[in-house]
Amino acid sequence: MKHLEDFTAENFFISGPDVDTFQYNRQLKSLTIRRTDLSDLDPRLFQPMPLLQVLDFSETKIKSLDFLFQADLYALRCLKLSDNEITVINETVFQFLPALTYLDVENNPFTCDCSNAGFIQWVKNNNQTQVVNAYQYTCSFPVAEQGNKLLDFDILSCWMDVSFLCFISSTCLVVFTLLASFIYHFLRWQLAYAYHLFLAFLYDSRKRKAGACHLYDAFISYNVDDEAWVYQEMLPALEGEQGWRLCLHHRDFQPGKPIVENIIDAIYGSRKTICVITRRYLQSEWCSREIQMASFRLFDEQKDVLVLLFLEEIPAHQLSPYYRMRKLVKKRTYLSWPKAGHHTGVFWQNVGRALETGDAPTETADLLTGPAGR
């Protein structure tokens, strides 16, 4: 078998030839093996055949063209695989057969579905390779397509499904990203506010049904940086001298309970909420949530349940970024610690009188040291 250029065998091999069968035939240009079981063909069989131009494996029970991916048949011009058991052809295999000009895969049981869409498109669009009697290939699978022509299968439905899904997925991803960015930059505080108002609404509804009573006269909402003033000035005056029952974060919140639930319990478990306003208070996320919930209770119950106590002077233009606080200050009277000066006793009497007022939504300008607007 040395130096052969053509080799033909029909019904000669019991099974596929051994990988080293043609190792001394590097000049082989035509190889024909017919009526032999080549279903387990080893791609290494073709490694000694760099010049192979014609390959005829008809009637050999081949089920796919996968063996050609590693065959290195760059000179192959003619490929005959008729009367085999090929159902699906991966069109990318032809990238490894750059010289192929003739293909015969007639009388194979083709599957007419999207798995063959690439091959069908390749047959219709390629200008180099002649596919023998391609328009006569018929479908064997699925049952609904039996007898139909392979090239009549509607491959557009396959491309449209994939393309459409990709388009919809990418569009949704882009829209979601843009929407998430917009919400984060412009609406995150509004959404957080709405969420906490909803929690407060649920809490208020439950309390009304249960007929709960108030455990405290006032919940003190303050920033941790102002805690010293609260403990040194407010508590001695309101709890020590006047006997009010006050609720404070670090002293009265229930350990282990979620902070939001503690805040809601404190606001609705007290007759009123006193907000100790400073610049640090306005910049605090938790303080912002506390005054948001207290504002919702004020709006929902239509009762005088909110007392604003400014611990330092804050000009109106500095309140502008905190539009809810600015809105409250414009509509309600407030207490001003700096304006009290040396008359702190009068100031604490005014705070006590504010706590003594009933739940009716009436203005109390005569009790407080600040005007109703700024």
Side-chain angles (χ1 to χ4, degrees):
M1 294 178 60
K2 293 184 178 180
H3 309 301
L4 291 177
E5 291 190 2
D6 299 282
F7 179 84
T8 301
E10 289 194 22
N11 205 14
F12 178 77
F13 294 100
I14 298 176
S15 60
D18 194 73
V19 294
D20 58 356
T21 300
F22 302 101
Q23 62 177 326
Y24 301 109
N25 296 94
R26 297 188 63 82
Q27 303 301 318
L28 195 65
K29 295 182 179 179
S30 176
L31 175 62
T32 300
I33 300 177
R34 302 168 62 93
R35 299 176 184 174
T36 301
D37 187 354
L38 300 181
S39 56
D40 295 325
L41 191 64
D42 193 324
R44 292 178 297 174
L45 175 71
F46 304 98
Q47 290 180 355
M49 309 177 192
L51 304 179
L52 190 66
Q53 298 178 11
V54 179
L55 180 63
D56 185 353
F57 281 173
S58 301
E59 301 179 68
T60 54
K61 299 184 180 180
I62 290 177
K63 294 180 173 58
S64 76
L65 274 63
D66 290 349
F67 68 93
L68 294 171
F69 280 105
Q70 305 174 39
D72 298 330
L73 298 176
Y74 298 111
L76 191 68
R77 295 183 293 104
C78 176
L79 177 61
K80 299 180 181 180
L81 297 170
S82 60
D83 299 288
N84 279 295
E85 300 176 6
I86 301 171
T87 58
V88 176
I89 295 179
N90 185 344
E91 76 284 359
T92 58
V93 71
F94 300 114
Q95 299 175 10
F96 298 88
L97 304 173
L100 188 67
T101 58
Y102 183 95
L103 175 66
D104 182 3
V105 286
E106 199 170 5
N107 297 326
N108 278 281
F110 290 109
T111 297
C112 290
D113 59 20
C114 291
S115 59
N116 264 327
F119 173 64
I120 295 172
Q121 186 181 43
W122 179 84
V123 172
K124 292 181 177 180
N125 296 339
N126 94 89
N127 297 320
Q128 173 182 306
T129 306
Q130 175 190 357
V131 184
V132 180
N133 294 327
Y135 285 89
Q136 300 303 317
Y137 297 169
T138 58
C139 307
S140 297
F141 307 100
V143 176
E145 296 286 344
Q146 285 182 355
N148 294 337
K149 302 299 182 183
L150 175 66
L151 297 189
D152 289 339
F153 178 73
D154 182 17
I155 63 174
L156 290 178
S157 60
C158 302
W159 305 140
M160 287 178 63
D161 287 344
V162 175
S163 301
F164 183 71
L165 287 175
C166 291
F167 170 76
I168 291 296
S169 300
S170 58
T171 301
C172 291
L173 180 61
V174 170
V175 171
F176 176 78
T177 302
L178 292 176
L179 184 61
S181 300
F182 176 82
I183 291 175
Y184 178 79
H185 287 289
F186 298 104
L187 299 177
R188 65 181 186 274
W189 295 117
Q190 286 82 347
L191 291 177
Y193 179 66
Y195 170 72
H196 291 296
L197 290 189
F198 177 70
L199 292 180
F201 171 76
L202 294 179
Y203 183 93
D204 189 38
S205 300
R206 291 197 301 267
K207 290 299 183 182
R208 287 180 180 178
K209 291 180 180 179
C213 60
H214 297 119
L215 299 177
Y216 304 97
D217 293 305
F219 165 59
I220 311 302
S221 174
Y222 61 92
N223 183 270
V224 66
D225 293 328
D226 304 312
E227 187 174 41
W229 182 88
V230 171
Y231 276 86
Q232 294 172 13
E233 298 286 346
M234 177 177 281
L235 288 186
L238 296 184
E239 278 192 340
E241 297 178 9
Q242 300 184 25
W244 298 108
R245 296 169 301 168
L246 304 181
C247 176
L248 290 89
H249 308 91
H250 300 85
R251 187 185 67 182
D252 300 309
F253 274 16
Q254 183 177 337
K257 195 172 186 179
I259 183 67
V260 174
E261 291 187 21
N262 266 319
I263 292 173
I264 295 175
D265 287 342
I267 291 174
Y268 281 87
S270 305
R271 289 193 305 107
K272 299 197 177 188
T273 297
I274 299 178
C275 297
V276 181
I277 312 297
T278 61
R279 290 177 179 83
R280 291 183 293 265
Y281 182 95
L282 296 175
Q283 296 168 0
S284 169
E285 179 182 351
W286 286 112
C287 294
S288 175
R289 294 184 181 183
E290 290 173 0
I291 198 168
Q292 286 170 4
M293 295 179 192
S295 300
F296 174 76
R297 183 186 176 195
L298 175 69
F299 170 79
D300 180 51
E301 297 184 2
Q302 293 296 305
K303 296 177 181 179
D304 186 19
V305 295
L306 181 61
V307 177
L308 302 180
L309 191 159
F310 278 79
L311 195 57
E312 59 187 14
E313 288 291 344
I314 302 179
H317 70 274
Q318 293 187 14
L319 284 177
S320 297
Y322 312 97
Y323 59 93
R324 291 191 185 87
M325 176 61 68
R326 182 174 173 82
K327 186 176 180 181
L328 285 171
V329 169
K330 283 186 175 181
K331 290 186 176 181
R332 299 183 57 78
T333 52
Y334 60 90
L335 294 131
S336 176
W337 175 254
K339 289 183 180 180
H342 298 290
H343 305 288
T344 57
V346 176
F347 175 84
W348 292 120
Q349 289 179 7
N350 288 334
V351 176
R353 293 172 64 188
L355 292 177
E356 287 176 351
T357 58
D359 293 332
T362 57
E363 293 294 341
T364 57
D366 58 318
L367 301 179
L368 308 179
T369 59
R374 290 193 171 194

